[in-house]
Amino acid sequence: MSHTNTQVLFHSRPAGMPKEDNFEIVERSMPSIGAGEVLCRVLYLSVDPYMRGRMNPGKSYAAPAKLGEPMVGQTVSEVVESKDSHFRPGDFVLGFTGWQAYAAMPAKDLRKVDPVAPLSYYLGVLGMPGLTAYVGVIDIGQPKEGETAVVSAAAGAVGSIAGQIAKIKGCRAVGTAGSDEKCAWVTGELGFDACINYKTANLDDALKAACPDGIDIYVDMVGGAMLEAVLRQINVHARIPLIGMISQYNATSPVPGPNLGPLLVNRATVRGMVVIDHQDRYGDFIRDVSAWLREGAIRCREDVVQGLENAPGAFIGLFRGENVGKRVVQVAPDPRRGAQR
Amino acid sequence: MSHTNTQVLFHSRPAGMPKEDNFEIVERSMPSIGAGEVLCRVLYLSVDPYMRGRMNPGKSYAAPAKLGEPMVGQTVSEVVESKDSHFRPGDFVLGFTGWQAYAAMPAKDLRKVDPVAPLSYYLGVLGMPGLTAYVGVIDIGQPKEGETAVVSAAAGAVGSIAGQIAKIKGCRAVGTAGSDEKCAWVTGELGFDACINYKTANLDDALKAACPDGIDIYVDMVGGAMLEAVLRQINVHARIPLIGMISQYNATSPVPGPNLGPLLVNRATVRGMVVIDHQDRYGDFIRDVSAWLREGAIRCREDVVQGLENAPGAFIGLFRGENVGKRVVQVAPDPRRGAQR
């Protein structure tokens, strides 16, 4: 075991787009554990757009990240030492260790993962993004056979799963993404019925063409102009799970929203959701999505960035739309896949 | 019976604020009725902000009003002649006769009213505005004891009832209205806990002062700046029935909406509603609101404008905030109240 612990500290709060120098990489001494604690070696860490909110000084749905501490985030780790009876060395665990190579964690804050799937999936399709997609589409979207579901950020961690769940539930699935390459993957590999490149298309025309029967569900990860365009084509009693607003996370001044007239006229529902409220659905989610993965009804792709030191760049790249599929950072070799996965 | 029928025709579509010359008053011959029809003498007609939407050329949730025909709207009438076995002269009926003194109506389009309350109430507290308030607060608002409900247009037909229902359900009720006189009525007569004059107050400060525990329910009749200010102070899992957007009904160019970030952070729900979807609640509504009226738990005021020829002005005045309580136009003497009510 190494004698130092590499950490990526949250160094300064960004104004607008986060930059590399909002983070600082340091070497610290290895943590030691006390009773009821577990020493974790981080294998994979998750980078997700929602973390941008944690970098702001004000309270969002969670407390802001603290300057000078490891950047917050969920990881999959291997237990290397345990002073708690529920965990043993060699166990794999999910936890919010933050961005560091090793972490001393209270056992109560860890969840053991049964690695029936690749470990990194517990940060993606079988993790928070997957549960977000599951609750967003099924519980809030209430999909009915033959309806049309539009999913933004369709090549992202949540959107790619959300559209496939909508398909499983009998909907026409229409994605939006930021490049032709992403769109080709969304329709070709994931089986969406259509995908709109929002950077090159006229949104109104493209939505009209892709959704000839209007829009019943909109899984919104982006806000902004896309939400506005979708609202112009929603059907009566449309449901809109509001999951993310990546288009405005880096805004430095207040951003107006969409005109809400169509919600009134169409008696539609917009419901904000954060996955932490829906842990009661975790069991159903794991059961269903595991089965859909086995059957090939859901496919996923990971975008694995190597090396803890590259976590800041991997995170920042999310806002440039670099990733296709779920982006994770590999911090240490995955013992279940050999040295390089 | 008179030999001619006065009608207020919808003459031209307004751009922006409606004007008197969008209407035309004409004298036509008395209608005659065929089998299955009923001749109605209109007693009261309802003027409501939603009618502004019917004056636009595009389809809203209902077809646009037709030029050259009597302006659309609901009325309470007395049956003067019937060729349908369900109605007899002297019956009182609700129907969409439009703005005219007499109307020949298919019997199937009329609903008999049992006049346990003043006839005009069936256009207000016991009519569509009342049902709107009832469904908005109870079904969409889901009020819980001790929560805070903010109601905009609190001196209007829907808002005045909505806040009183919120009080009955154990909420703190905070209204907003456009004059100190209205606010005094809302708190004094109707028993709201507070009322904000949105024309003179700093909305953020006033909402903070009136809602020390944040906002759980917002019954939105107005949209615009008020909705935006409310969103800044909503609590987790807030519910927002979106009932009207009077602030933008007369807009001549697209109006941006509120930033929806608070919906996401607070996992709040905005749900557009139109009362026509909720006729299944009519029985419960009449039972409950009639009882609350009898007990004095709900009070109401009517703003009665005399004379069919004054209907255009009465309607236009809604957008200047002239009315306190439900505005109706008295078209003919009310046989249950004597010549002048």
Side-chain angles (χ1 to χ4, degrees), chain B residues 51-119:
Chain B
M51 296 170 169
R52 178 63 185 81
R54 310 289 302 273
M55 300 176 82
N56 291 330
K59 188 178 180 311
S60 171
Y61 49 84
K66 288 182 186 149
L67 293 172
E69 297 195 357
M71 177 62 189
V72 295
Q74 197 179 31
T75 64
V76 172
S77 301
E78 182 177 7
V79 172
V80 290
E81 185 188 353
S82 174
K83 293 190 176 171
D84 181 275
S85 60
H86 297 88
F87 296 95
R88 292 188 309 186
D91 284 348
F92 298 108
V93 293
L94 262 177
F96 285 86
T97 64
W99 294 8
Q100 53 187 333
Y102 292 90
M105 295 289 290
K108 67 174 177 49
D109 294 344
L110 298 173
R111 171 186 274 169
K112 209 178 291 190
V113 297
D114 173 26
V116 292
L119 289 170

Coordinates of all heavy atoms in Angstrom, one line a residue, chain B residues 51-119:
Chain B
M51 N -61.5 34.2 -20.9 CA -62.1 34.5 -22.2 C -61.2 35.2 -23.2 O -61.4 35.2 -24.4 CB -63.3 35.3 -22.0 CG -64.4 34.6 -21.2 SD -65.7 35.8 -20.7 CE -66.9 34.6 -20.1
R52 N -60.2 35.9 -22.6 CA -59.2 36.6 -23.5 C -58.6 35.6 -24.4 O -58.3 35.9 -25.6 CB -58.2 37.3 -22.6 CG -57.1 38.0 -23.4 CD -57.7 39.1 -24.3 NE -56.7 39.8 -25.1 CZ -56.3 39.2 -26.3 NH1 -56.8 38.1 -26.7 NH2 -55.4 39.9 -27.0
G53 N -58.3 34.4 -23.9 CA -57.7 33.4 -24.8 C -58.6 32.9 -25.9 O -58.1 32.6 -27.0
R54 N -59.9 33.0 -25.7 CA -60.8 32.6 -26.7 C -60.9 33.6 -27.9 O -61.4 33.3 -29.0 CB -62.2 32.4 -26.2 CG -62.3 31.5 -24.9 CD -62.1 30.1 -25.3 NE -63.0 29.5 -26.2 CZ -64.2 29.0 -26.0 NH1 -64.6 29.0 -24.8 NH2 -65.0 28.6 -26.9
M55 N -60.4 34.8 -27.6 CA -60.4 35.9 -28.6 C -59.2 35.8 -29.6 O -59.2 36.5 -30.6 CB -60.4 37.2 -27.9 CG -61.6 37.4 -27.0 SD -61.6 39.0 -26.1 CE -62.3 40.1 -27.4
N56 N -58.2 34.9 -29.3 CA -57.1 34.7 -30.2 C -57.5 33.8 -31.3 O -58.4 32.9 -31.1 CB -55.9 34.2 -29.4 CG -55.3 35.2 -28.4 OD1 -55.4 36.4 -28.7 ND2 -54.8 34.7 -27.3
P57 N -56.8 33.9 -32.4 CA -57.2 33.0 -33.5 C -56.8 31.6 -33.3 O -57.4 30.7 -33.9 CB -56.4 33.7 -34.7 CG -55.3 34.4 -34.1 CD -55.8 34.9 -32.8
G58 N -55.7 31.3 -32.6 CA -55.3 29.9 -32.5 C -56.0 29.1 -31.4 O -56.6 29.7 -30.5
K59 N -56.0 27.8 -31.6 CA -56.7 27.0 -30.6 C -55.9 27.0 -29.3 O -54.7 26.9 -29.2 CB -56.7 25.5 -31.2 CG -57.6 24.6 -30.3 CD -57.6 23.2 -30.9 CE -58.4 22.2 -30.1 NZ -58.1 22.3 -28.7
S60 N -56.7 27.2 -28.2 CA -56.1 27.0 -26.9 C -56.7 25.7 -26.4 O -56.7 24.7 -27.2 CB -56.6 28.2 -26.1 OG -56.3 28.0 -24.7
Y61 N -57.2 25.6 -25.2 CA -57.8 24.3 -24.8 C -59.2 24.2 -25.4 O -59.9 23.2 -25.3 CB -57.8 24.1 -23.3 CG -58.2 25.3 -22.5 CD1 -59.6 25.5 -22.2 CD2 -57.3 26.2 -22.0 CE1 -60.0 26.5 -21.5 CE2 -57.7 27.3 -21.2 CZ -59.1 27.4 -21.0 OH -59.5 28.5 -20.3
A62 N -59.7 25.3 -25.9 CA -61.1 25.3 -26.5 C -60.9 26.0 -27.9 O -59.9 26.7 -28.1 CB -62.1 26.0 -25.6
A63 N -61.9 25.8 -28.7 CA -61.8 26.5 -30.0 C -61.9 28.0 -29.9 O -62.5 28.5 -28.9 CB -62.9 26.0 -30.9
P64 N -61.3 28.7 -30.8 CA -61.4 30.2 -30.7 C -62.9 30.7 -30.9 O -63.6 30.0 -31.6 CB -60.5 30.7 -31.8 CG -60.3 29.6 -32.7 CD -60.5 28.3 -31.9
A65 N -63.2 31.8 -30.3 CA -64.5 32.4 -30.5 C -64.6 32.8 -32.0 O -63.6 33.2 -32.6 CB -64.7 33.5 -29.6
K66 N -65.8 32.7 -32.5 CA -66.0 33.1 -33.9 C -66.4 34.5 -34.1 O -67.4 35.0 -33.4 CB -67.0 32.1 -34.5 CG -66.5 30.7 -34.7 CD -67.6 29.9 -35.4 CE -67.1 28.4 -35.5 NZ -68.2 27.5 -35.4
L67 N -65.8 35.2 -35.0 CA -66.2 36.6 -35.3 C -67.6 36.6 -35.8 O -68.0 35.7 -36.6 CB -65.2 37.2 -36.3 CG -63.8 37.3 -35.8 CD1 -62.8 37.7 -36.9 CD2 -63.7 38.4 -34.7
G68 N -68.3 37.7 -35.4 CA -69.7 37.8 -36.0 C -70.7 37.1 -35.2 O -71.9 37.2 -35.5
E69 N -70.3 36.3 -34.2 CA -71.3 35.6 -33.4 C -71.3 36.2 -32.0 O -70.3 36.9 -31.6 CB -70.9 34.1 -33.3 CG -71.0 33.5 -34.7 CD -71.0 31.9 -34.6 OE1 -70.9 31.4 -33.5 OE2 -71.2 31.3 -35.7
P70 N -72.3 35.9 -31.2 CA -72.3 36.5 -29.8 C -71.0 36.0 -29.1 O -70.6 34.9 -29.2 CB -73.5 35.9 -29.2 CG -74.5 35.6 -30.3 CD -73.6 35.2 -31.5
M71 N -70.4 36.9 -28.4 CA -69.2 36.6 -27.6 C -69.5 35.4 -26.7 O -70.6 35.3 -26.1 CB -68.8 37.8 -26.8 CG -67.6 37.6 -25.9 SD -66.1 37.2 -26.8 CE -65.0 36.7 -25.3
V72 N -68.6 34.5 -26.6 CA -68.8 33.3 -25.8 C -68.8 33.5 -24.3 O -68.1 34.5 -23.9 CB -67.7 32.2 -26.2 CG1 -67.8 31.8 -27.6 CG2 -66.3 32.8 -25.8
G73 N -69.5 32.7 -23.6 CA -69.4 32.8 -22.2 C -70.6 32.1 -21.5 O -71.6 31.8 -22.1
Q74 N -70.4 31.8 -20.2 CA -71.4 31.1 -19.5 C -72.4 32.1 -18.8 O -72.0 33.2 -18.5 CB -70.7 30.2 -18.4 CG -71.6 29.1 -17.9 CD -71.0 28.3 -16.8 OE1 -70.1 28.7 -16.1 NE2 -71.4 27.0 -16.8
T75 N -73.6 31.6 -18.7 CA -74.7 32.4 -18.2 C -75.6 31.6 -17.3 O -75.6 30.4 -17.4 CB -75.6 33.1 -19.3 OG1 -76.2 32.0 -19.9 CG2 -74.8 33.9 -20.2
V76 N -76.3 32.3 -16.4 CA -77.5 31.7 -15.8 C -78.7 32.4 -16.4 O -78.8 33.6 -16.6 CB -77.5 32.1 -14.3 CG1 -78.8 31.6 -13.6 CG2 -76.4 31.4 -13.5
S77 N -79.6 31.5 -16.8 CA -80.8 32.0 -17.5 C -82.1 31.4 -16.9 O -82.0 30.4 -16.1 CB -80.8 31.5 -19.0 OG -79.7 31.9 -19.7
E78 N -83.2 32.0 -17.3 CA -84.5 31.5 -16.9 C -85.1 30.9 -18.2 O -85.0 31.5 -19.3 CB -85.4 32.6 -16.4 CG -86.8 32.1 -15.9 CD -87.6 33.2 -15.4 OE1 -87.2 34.4 -15.4 OE2 -88.7 32.9 -14.9
V79 N -85.7 29.7 -18.0 CA -86.3 29.1 -19.2 C -87.7 29.8 -19.5 O -88.5 30.0 -18.5 CB -86.6 27.6 -18.9 CG1 -87.4 27.0 -20.1 CG2 -85.3 26.8 -18.8
V80 N -87.8 30.3 -20.7 CA -89.1 30.9 -21.0 C -90.0 30.1 -21.9 O -91.2 30.2 -22.0 CB -88.9 32.3 -21.6 CG1 -88.4 33.3 -20.6 CG2 -88.0 32.3 -22.9
E81 N -89.4 29.1 -22.6 CA -90.1 28.2 -23.4 C -89.3 26.9 -23.6 O -88.1 27.0 -23.7 CB -90.4 28.9 -24.8 CG -91.3 28.0 -25.7 CD -91.3 28.6 -27.2 OE1 -90.8 29.7 -27.4 OE2 -91.9 28.0 -28.0
S82 N -90.0 25.8 -23.6 CA -89.2 24.6 -23.8 C -89.9 23.6 -24.7 O -91.1 23.4 -24.6 CB -89.0 23.9 -22.4 OG -88.4 22.7 -22.5
K83 N -89.1 23.0 -25.6 CA -89.6 21.8 -26.4 C -88.8 20.6 -26.0 O -88.4 19.8 -26.8 CB -89.5 22.2 -27.8 CG -90.5 23.3 -28.2 CD -90.6 23.5 -29.7 CE -91.7 24.5 -30.0 NZ -91.7 24.9 -31.4
D84 N -88.5 20.5 -24.7 CA -87.7 19.3 -24.2 C -88.4 19.0 -22.8 O -88.7 19.9 -22.0 CB -86.3 19.6 -24.0 CG -85.5 18.4 -23.5 OD1 -85.5 18.2 -22.2 OD2 -85.0 17.7 -24.3
S85 N -88.6 17.7 -22.6 CA -89.4 17.3 -21.4 C -88.6 17.6 -20.1 O -89.2 17.6 -19.0 CB -89.7 15.8 -21.5 OG -88.5 15.1 -21.6
H86 N -87.3 17.8 -20.2 CA -86.5 18.0 -18.9 C -86.6 19.4 -18.4 O -86.2 19.7 -17.3 CB -85.1 17.6 -19.1 CG -84.8 16.2 -19.5 ND1 -84.9 15.7 -20.8 CD2 -84.6 15.1 -18.7 CE1 -84.7 14.4 -20.8 NE2 -84.5 14.0 -19.5
F87 N -87.1 20.4 -19.2 CA -87.1 21.8 -18.7 C -88.5 22.3 -18.9 O -89.2 22.0 -19.9 CB -86.1 22.6 -19.5 CG -84.7 22.1 -19.3 CD1 -84.0 21.2 -20.2 CD2 -83.9 22.6 -18.2 CE1 -82.7 20.8 -20.0 CE2 -82.6 22.2 -18.0 CZ -82.0 21.3 -18.9
R88 N -88.8 23.2 -17.9 CA -90.1 23.9 -18.0 C -89.9 25.4 -17.8 O -88.9 25.8 -17.1 CB -91.0 23.4 -16.9 CG -91.4 21.9 -17.1 CD -92.5 21.6 -16.0 NE -92.1 21.9 -14.7 CZ -92.7 21.6 -13.6 NH1 -93.9 21.0 -13.7 NH2 -92.3 21.9 -12.4
P89 N -90.8 26.2 -18.3 CA -90.7 27.6 -18.1 C -90.5 27.9 -16.6 O -91.2 27.3 -15.8 CB -92.0 28.2 -18.7 CG -92.3 27.2 -19.8 CD -91.9 25.9 -19.2
G90 N -89.7 28.8 -16.3 CA -89.4 29.2 -14.9 C -88.2 28.4 -14.3 O -87.7 28.8 -13.2
D91 N -87.8 27.4 -14.9 CA -86.6 26.7 -14.5 C -85.4 27.7 -14.7 O -85.4 28.5 -15.6 CB -86.2 25.5 -15.3 CG -87.1 24.3 -14.9 OD1 -87.8 24.4 -13.9 OD2 -87.2 23.3 -15.7
F92 N -84.4 27.5 -13.8 CA -83.1 28.2 -14.0 C -82.0 27.3 -14.5 O -81.9 26.1 -14.0 CB -82.7 28.9 -12.6 CG -83.8 29.8 -12.2 CD1 -84.6 29.6 -11.1 CD2 -83.9 31.1 -12.8 CE1 -85.5 30.4 -10.6 CE2 -84.9 32.0 -12.4 CZ -85.7 31.7 -11.3
V93 N -81.3 27.8 -15.4 CA -80.3 26.9 -16.1 C -79.0 27.6 -16.3 O -78.9 28.8 -16.5 CB -80.8 26.4 -17.4 CG1 -82.0 25.5 -17.3 CG2 -81.1 27.5 -18.4
L94 N -77.9 26.8 -16.2 CA -76.5 27.2 -16.6 C -76.3 26.7 -18.0 O -76.6 25.6 -18.4 CB -75.5 26.5 -15.7 CG -75.0 27.1 -14.5 CD1 -74.0 26.1 -13.8 CD2 -74.2 28.4 -14.8
G95 N -75.6 27.6 -18.8 CA -75.3 27.2 -20.1 C -74.4 28.2 -20.8 O -74.2 29.3 -20.3
F96 N -73.7 27.8 -21.9 CA -72.9 28.7 -22.6 C -73.7 29.3 -23.7 O -73.5 29.0 -24.9 CB -71.6 27.9 -23.1 CG -70.7 27.7 -22.1 CD1 -70.8 26.5 -21.3 CD2 -69.6 28.6 -21.8 CE1 -69.9 26.3 -20.2 CE2 -68.7 28.3 -20.8 CZ -68.8 27.2 -20.0
T97 N -74.6 30.2 -23.3 CA -75.4 30.9 -24.3 C -74.7 32.0 -25.0 O -75.1 32.5 -26.1 CB -76.6 31.6 -23.6 OG1 -76.1 32.6 -22.7 CG2 -77.4 30.6 -22.8
G98 N -73.6 32.5 -24.4 CA -72.9 33.7 -25.0 C -73.6 34.9 -24.5 O -74.6 34.9 -23.8
W99 N -73.1 36.0 -25.0 CA -73.5 37.4 -24.6 C -74.7 37.8 -25.4 O -74.6 38.5 -26.4 CB -72.4 38.4 -24.7 CG -71.2 38.1 -23.8 CD1 -71.0 37.0 -23.1 CD2 -70.1 39.0 -23.7 NE1 -69.8 37.2 -22.4 CE2 -69.2 38.3 -22.8 CE3 -69.7 40.2 -24.2 CZ2 -68.0 38.9 -22.4 CZ3 -68.5 40.8 -23.8 CH2 -67.6 40.1 -22.9
Q100 N -75.9 37.5 -24.9 CA -77.1 37.9 -25.6 C -78.3 37.8 -24.6 O -78.1 37.2 -23.6 CB -77.4 37.1 -26.9 CG -77.4 35.6 -26.6 CD -77.5 34.8 -27.9 OE1 -78.1 35.3 -28.9 NE2 -77.0 33.6 -27.9
A101 N -79.4 38.5 -24.9 CA -80.5 38.6 -24.0 C -81.3 37.2 -24.0 O -81.8 36.8 -23.0 CB -81.4 39.7 -24.4
Y102 N -81.4 36.6 -25.2 CA -82.1 35.4 -25.3 C -81.3 34.4 -26.2 O -80.5 34.8 -27.1 CB -83.5 35.6 -26.0 CG -84.4 36.4 -25.2 CD1 -84.5 37.8 -25.3 CD2 -85.3 35.7 -24.3 CE1 -85.4 38.5 -24.5 CE2 -86.2 36.5 -23.5 CZ -86.2 37.9 -23.6 OH -87.1 38.6 -22.8
A103 N -81.5 33.1 -25.9 CA -80.7 32.1 -26.7 C -81.6 30.9 -26.8 O -82.2 30.4 -25.9 CB -79.4 31.8 -26.0
A104 N -81.6 30.3 -28.0 CA -82.2 29.0 -28.2 C -81.1 28.0 -28.0 O -80.1 28.0 -28.8 CB -82.7 28.9 -29.7
M105 N -81.3 27.1 -27.1 CA -80.2 26.2 -26.7 C -80.7 24.7 -26.8 O -81.8 24.4 -26.3 CB -79.7 26.5 -25.2 CG -79.1 27.8 -25.0 SD -77.5 27.9 -25.8 CE -76.5 26.8 -24.7
P106 N -79.8 23.8 -27.3 CA -80.1 22.4 -27.1 C -80.2 22.0 -25.7 O -79.4 22.4 -24.9 CB -78.9 21.7 -27.8 CG -78.2 22.8 -28.6 CD -78.5 24.1 -27.9
A107 N -81.3 21.3 -25.3 CA -81.5 21.0 -23.9 C -80.3 20.3 -23.3 O -79.9 20.5 -22.1 CB -82.7 20.1 -23.7
K108 N -79.6 19.5 -24.1 CA -78.5 18.7 -23.6 C -77.3 19.6 -23.2 O -76.4 19.1 -22.4 CB -78.0 17.7 -24.6 CG -77.4 18.3 -25.9 CD -76.8 17.3 -26.8 CE -76.3 17.9 -28.1 NZ -75.4 19.0 -27.9
D109 N -77.3 20.8 -23.6 CA -76.2 21.7 -23.3 C -76.5 22.6 -22.0 O -75.7 23.4 -21.7 CB -75.8 22.6 -24.4 CG -75.3 21.8 -25.6 OD1 -74.9 20.7 -25.4 OD2 -75.2 22.4 -26.7
L110 N -77.6 22.3 -21.4 CA -78.0 23.1 -20.2 C -77.9 22.2 -19.0 O -78.1 21.0 -19.0 CB -79.4 23.6 -20.4 CG -79.6 24.6 -21.6 CD1 -81.1 24.9 -21.7 CD2 -78.8 25.9 -21.4
R111 N -77.6 22.9 -17.9 CA -77.6 22.2 -16.6 C -78.6 22.9 -15.7 O -78.4 24.1 -15.5 CB -76.2 22.1 -16.0 CG -76.2 21.6 -14.6 CD -74.7 21.8 -14.0 NE -73.9 20.6 -14.3 CZ -72.6 20.6 -14.1 NH1 -71.9 21.6 -13.6 NH2 -71.9 19.5 -14.4
K112 N -79.6 22.2 -15.1 CA -80.5 22.9 -14.2 C -79.8 23.3 -12.9 O -79.0 22.5 -12.4 CB -81.7 22.0 -13.9 CG -83.0 22.7 -13.7 CD -84.2 21.7 -13.4 CE -84.6 21.0 -14.7 NZ -85.9 20.2 -14.5
V113 N -80.1 24.5 -12.4 CA -79.6 24.8 -11.1 C -80.7 24.8 -10.1 O -81.8 25.3 -10.4 CB -78.8 26.2 -11.1 CG1 -77.6 26.1 -12.0 CG2 -79.7 27.3 -11.4
D114 N -80.4 24.3 -9.0 CA -81.3 24.2 -7.8 C -81.0 25.4 -7.0 O -80.0 25.5 -6.3 CB -81.1 22.9 -7.1 CG -81.9 22.9 -5.8 OD1 -83.0 23.5 -5.7 OD2 -81.5 22.1 -4.9
P115 N -81.8 26.5 -7.0 CA -81.4 27.8 -6.5 C -81.4 27.8 -5.0 O -82.2 28.6 -4.4 CB -82.3 28.8 -7.1 CG -83.5 28.0 -7.5 CD -83.1 26.6 -7.7
V116 N -80.6 27.0 -4.3 CA -80.5 27.1 -2.9 C -79.7 28.4 -2.5 O -79.7 28.9 -1.4 CB -79.8 25.9 -2.3 CG1 -80.7 24.7 -2.4 CG2 -78.4 25.6 -2.9
A117 N -78.9 28.9 -3.4 CA -78.1 30.1 -3.2 C -78.5 31.1 -4.3 O -79.3 30.8 -5.2 CB -76.6 29.7 -3.4
P118 N -78.1 32.4 -4.2 CA -78.4 33.3 -5.2 C -78.0 32.8 -6.6 O -76.9 32.2 -6.7 CB -77.6 34.6 -4.8 CG -77.5 34.4 -3.3 CD -77.4 33.0 -3.0
L119 N -78.8 33.1 -7.6 CA -78.5 32.5 -8.9 C -77.2 32.8 -9.4 O -76.5 32.0 -10.1 CB -79.6 33.0 -9.9 CG -81.0 32.5 -9.7 CD1 -82.0 33.3 -10.6 CD2 -81.0 31.0 -10.0

